[in-house]
Amino acid sequence: VPSTLRMLRLLNAQSCERGKECFCYNLENEKSGPLVGDIIRPYGLAICPPCLHALSSCWGSDFPSSLKSGKICTHGWSRVLCYPQFEQVTGDAVGSMVFFRDIKQIEYSYSDGTKRAEVLESTIQAATAQAISPEDEERLQQFTDSHTEAKSQYLEHVEAKRKMKREQQEAIVAKRAARKLELARPVFHKLQSHFSGFQFESIVLDRDWDVDTGTCEFHYWPSEVALGPLAAAPSTVTQKKILNAATYAKNLYTQLEEYGFLGESFPRQLHQWLNTQEDIPPHEQALVRYFAEHKTSDFMVRVRPRQYYDRNKTYNAMAEGNRAKMVLSRLSAAECREAFTHEVVRAATSRNSRQKRLQLARHVWARNNTSRWNRNQLVSLNRVQEFGEKFDECKAEFSNLLRKIRRYKRHPDTKAW
């Protein structure tokens, strides 16, 4: 049962009864923190909310035991930073020289950051002058040296740990790659027997193995389409899959030969196709003729950088049977321009006239393809119809310029000049 004076203090107290131990003690006014808000008197003490939050845990299962023991229930970090600590054997004072209470008092007393720093520095100096003995200074120096050495060793430890993890990961990747190569060798050995005597045997299995990753890079896209899945997952390969892949690859190369893009009939077969087909649009003729006259069969099937083509587009165009679309999927934007220029200057007879017309045609194409028909858009669209629209537009402008040039040359004033 609390005494009368204790009851009066709990009911009438205006400030924290912890005095200088209060966490919001004002160092300038030398007053403890005010009691604000509802009347809450935990543990029979008239203490302010900052002291309550700093020293006590949340009210719950700890509250009855704390009340029963008559002590404030404190967190571990609060106990270490709020009270002096003593070594149990020697009785020496250990722990922090500046408590959490001192920091909070400085924070509540001063609002200026510079003033707070000055008061904190003076507090540390005062605690150092009172608490540190020569033996403590020696012990502090040993601790500082140990801390510095441990910090330097920690960075080395972190780097060594990262290196070890990196080496472990590289070892796993190398082991997986070696295993993949080991399984892939017999697969390709069986494939060689299926392509024995095939017309394009020399290029079907032309490939490079990346020993570090175990990946297989084919030099020709039909082989990549047909045989790529076998190289990617050799552990799942069966005799049936090998037979189907070999048949698929043969069909792709044979189809390319039938279209005139591969084999000994290139480019003769493409020219024959151009001469026999009467309903071919001019822009499609320009693409196929440019390919037949200025490219090789290797250009159609060899894997090229991704910024120039996508093998799926060529494969889909071949499935449609569209030769012009196959050519367009292989050409870059600059090569499409050359297909246009070489088509519109075919009528030129002399070498000098041909060079001038080539220069004029390139200028016309560049002037009409700078805004929306750029390199990336051409590769991404990859449609013969849109190329045909630009082709007809530029061809009409080129013909109009040629008529104006001829009219200018026939003018009497021009002849007199």
Side-chain angles (χ1 to χ4, degrees), residues 234-255:
S235 59
T236 61
V237 173
T238 60
Q239 291 291 343
K240 185 177 180 180
K241 289 184 178 180
I242 294 176
L243 180 60
N244 294 339
T247 305
Y248 188 24
K250 289 180 181 180
N251 293 337
L252 291 178
Y253 283 100
T254 303
Q255 192 173 1

Side-chain angles (χ1 to χ4, degrees), residues 203 219-222 256 262 297-303 330:
I203 65 174
H219 294 170
Y220 300 94
W221 68 262
L256 285 170
L262 200 62
S297 59
D298 187 77
F299 184 84
M300 174 57 70
V301 294
R302 181 171 287 275
V303 175
R330 305 295 297 179

Side-chain angles (χ1 to χ4, degrees), residues 1-12 17 43-45:
V1 178
S3 63
T4 304
L5 294 177
R6 168 54 54 182
M7 290 295 298
L8 291 175
R9 175 180 289 274
L10 293 176
L11 294 174
N12 300 321
E17 67 172 293
Y43 319 121
L45 298 175

Side-chain angles (χ1 to χ4, degrees), residues 40-244:
I40 300 176
R41 302 294 181 258
Y43 319 121
L45 298 175
I47 60 177
C48 60
C51 290
L52 176 63
H53 293 313
L55 295 175
S56 177
S57 64
C58 59
W59 300 346
S61 59
D62 294 335
F63 180 75
S65 60
S66 303
L67 182 62
K68 182 178 180 181
S69 60
K71 298 180 180 179
I72 295 179
C73 180
T74 59
H75 294 291
W77 63 269
S78 299
R79 188 181 300 278
V80 172
L81 297 178
C82 296
Y83 297 101
Q85 302 297 309
F86 299 93
E87 214 283 323
Q88 296 181 358
V89 178
T90 61
D92 297 335
V94 296
S96 177
M97 293 184 297
V98 179
F99 300 128
F100 178 67
R101 177 197 64 232
D102 301 328
I103 304 299
K104 298 301 290 184
Q105 288 178 357
I106 295 174
E107 179 183 359
Y108 278 103
S109 301
Y110 308 99
S111 59
D112 184 28
T114 306
K115 183 63 175 178
R116 289 178 178 178
E118 294 177 356
V119 176
L120 178 61
E121 183 66 25
S122 61
T123 303
I124 295 175
Q125 292 179 357
T128 303
Q130 296 177 2
I132 296 183
S133 62
E135 293 79 6
D136 295 333
E137 291 182 357
E138 182 179 358
R139 191 179 306 171
L140 179 61
Q141 185 62 36
Q142 293 176 358
F143 172 78
T144 304
D145 296 341
S146 301
H147 175 73
T148 304
E149 183 179 359
K151 188 175 181 180
S152 62
Q153 292 179 358
Y154 173 75
L155 298 177
E156 297 177 358
H157 168 72
V158 171
E159 183 62 27
K161 192 173 182 179
R162 290 176 180 174
K163 183 179 179 181
M164 182 181 65
K165 289 184 177 180
R166 186 166 54 250
E167 291 177 352
Q168 291 177 352
Q169 187 65 26
E170 292 175 355
I172 294 174
V173 173
K175 183 178 180 180
R176 187 180 301 149
R179 177 61 178 170
K180 196 173 184 179
L181 292 175
E182 182 181 356
L183 294 175
R185 287 192 183 95
V187 173
F188 281 90
H189 181 71
K190 294 177 182 179
L191 283 172
Q192 288 178 354
S193 61
H194 288 279
F195 292 110
S196 179
F198 183 57
Q199 181 180 358
F200 305 105
E201 179 184 1
S202 59
I203 65 174
V204 172
L205 296 179
D206 193 5
R207 66 195 183 279
D208 287 332
W209 282 100
D210 190 344
V211 181
D212 296 332
T213 60
T215 57
C216 177
E217 297 179 357
F218 289 94
H219 294 170
Y220 300 94
W221 68 262
S223 300
E224 185 179 355
V225 172
L227 308 179
L230 301 182
S235 59
T236 61
V237 173
T238 60
Q239 291 291 343
K240 185 177 180 180
K241 289 184 178 180
I242 294 176
L243 180 60
N244 294 339

